[in-house]
Each structure stands twice: as C-alpha cells, then as structure tokens.
Amino acid sequence: MAKITASVYTSHVPAIGAALDLGKSHEPYWQKVFAGYEFSKQWLKDHRPDVIFLVYNDHATAFSLEIIPTFAIGTAAEFAVADEGWGPRPVPKVIGHPVLASHIAQSVIQDDFDLTIVNKMDVDHGLTVPLSLMCGPVQAWPCPVIPFAVNVVQYPVPSGRRCFQLGQAIRRAVESYDEPLTVQIWGTGGMSHQLQGPRAGLINKEWDKRFLDRLIEDPTGLAQVPHIEYVREAGSEGIELVMWLIARGAMADVAGGRPPTVAHRFYHVPASNTAVGHLILENC
Ligand code: DHB
Ligand code: FE
C-alpha cells in the first residue's frame, strides 16, 4: 500500500524563480526569503519520497479562458516547463507518474470528485517555483511529480471545504494503491497578496499567521472559511490558499490518525507582492 508521509506548503512567487535563474539569490532582499528554505532543502534530501503529488494553480498558461477545469490531474509521463512570456525557466522537465496518477483519478472520481484528466500540460511558476525552493538548482527533480491544477484564477473557484474533502479522497486513493510507495502532498500558492485594483499590494500578516496556526491545529474549522473571507482579508490572489487545504485534508489526523509533527515553519514579508509562507508537516 502507498502512503502519504508528509505535506509541504509554500508560496510560489514568480520573482523567486527569476531571482534564482538570474543569479540574484545572494542579494540581501532574496537571502531573507531563501533562508527560510535552507532547512527544507536538507529535509527533502533526508525524506525523499517516491512521488510528489503537487497541488498548484495554473496562471492562464496551460489553460486559457476557453477551458477552465476546476480540478485537473496530470496523467502524462512528462510535463514541459512553460514559456510564460520570457522563455521557459531553465529548470528540469517534470517526470510524471502515469500509473499512480491514473489510479488516483479512478479512485477520486469514483469517490464523487469530478476531476479533469490532462494528458498534455506545460507547467508554470505555480509548480516550478515550489520545486526550486525545495530542491535548489538541480539537473533533475528528485522524484516523479503528479501535477494537480486547481482553478483559483477565474470565478467561480472551489471552496476551502471542497478542497479539504478532496484531500481526504486523495488520501484514500493513495492508500488503495497496491505498491509500497511513499508520497508527499504539497499545497502551494498564497499567502496574502493582491496583484490588481485599488487594493494591489495588500498583505495581512495577522490573518496569514492565524491561517498557519489553524492549518496546523484546526484544519476542519479552517476549511469552513468562505471564499469571500480569503478575498477580503488575504487579497484577491490570497484565494490561492484554498489549495493548502487539499494537502492538509490528506494528512493522517483528518482520517482519525495522530496529529502531524511540525518539522518547519517560516513566514516572511515581502517577496515581490506576496507574503511568503512555508510549512512542513510530517505524519507520525
Ligand atoms: C506574484 C504572485 C503570484 O502568486 C503570482 O502568481 C504572480 C505574481 C507576485 O507577488 O508578484
Ligand atoms: Fe500565483
């Protein structure tokens, strides 16, 4: 049986990718951001999973306004790094895990979550920046990655409650896979930020920190927060945080197991227009 060993949560700021790719990571502004991931890079080396199930959002890159899947699972053997307007990031292509991804699609869809199956998809900064933060510069990503794209760009977006329930279904799917794989689930995007309109630049440190507290201790209560609170308190792009509830819903305690251990917690403002939050939770 496969099992979920840990969940990782991190923001995905595109300027972080640019700082890395343009050799600016030693600059004081970026050092303060990357310092929060020093522990995490070693942790990932020490806890390398067989597969990463990476929940992220596409930013009108692979999907346009023509087709907007709410939840899309990448079942391909590999995924190219997207060109977001200035050429693809110089990072490795993503190797998928079509067999596990297909099993999860089968299980989760039969568990009443209507996923879109995607056999070809370029992956944007939403997926590659979290990998860069956790792995540093590498020739190849440390393991296969199943991309799982959530629509948080075009309304209507899924609720935190639905995302939390979906995480539970993903856990059931992983645990019904007939091979002893270790799987990490990553929830990415956020924290508070707004890129547009009169409130552009909004950051809400208190709300973000409370979100991290509740994600650890009270995920069921946190899952009840309506989308309008994310938008009001964490800004229009703060809604990306509902994706963290998918990863949290897949942890053991939600299914009656023991509470996770907090391996690492980090919060920093600013990085570009965004508050950066990062958490690693291990199943006991
Ligand atoms: C920024 C943050 C995002 O989440 C994003 O998708 C694009 C830009 C920013 O902080 O600039
Ligand atoms: Fe984003």
Side-chain angles (χ1 to χ4, degrees), residues 12-15 57 59 125 190 193 195 237 240 271-274:
H12 68 208
V13 198
N57 70 289
H59 298 75
H125 71 271
H193 61 304
L195 302 176
E237 278 65 46
E240 290 178 343
S272 187
N273 303 296
T274 311

Side-chain angles (χ1 to χ4, degrees), residues 12 14 57-62 81-89 122-129:
H12 68 208
N57 70 289
D58 178 77
H59 298 75
T61 305
V81 176
D83 182 347
E84 297 179 63
W86 48 90
R89 290 193 59 215
D122 291 357
V123 287
D124 75 7
H125 71 271
L127 185 130
T128 62
V129 166

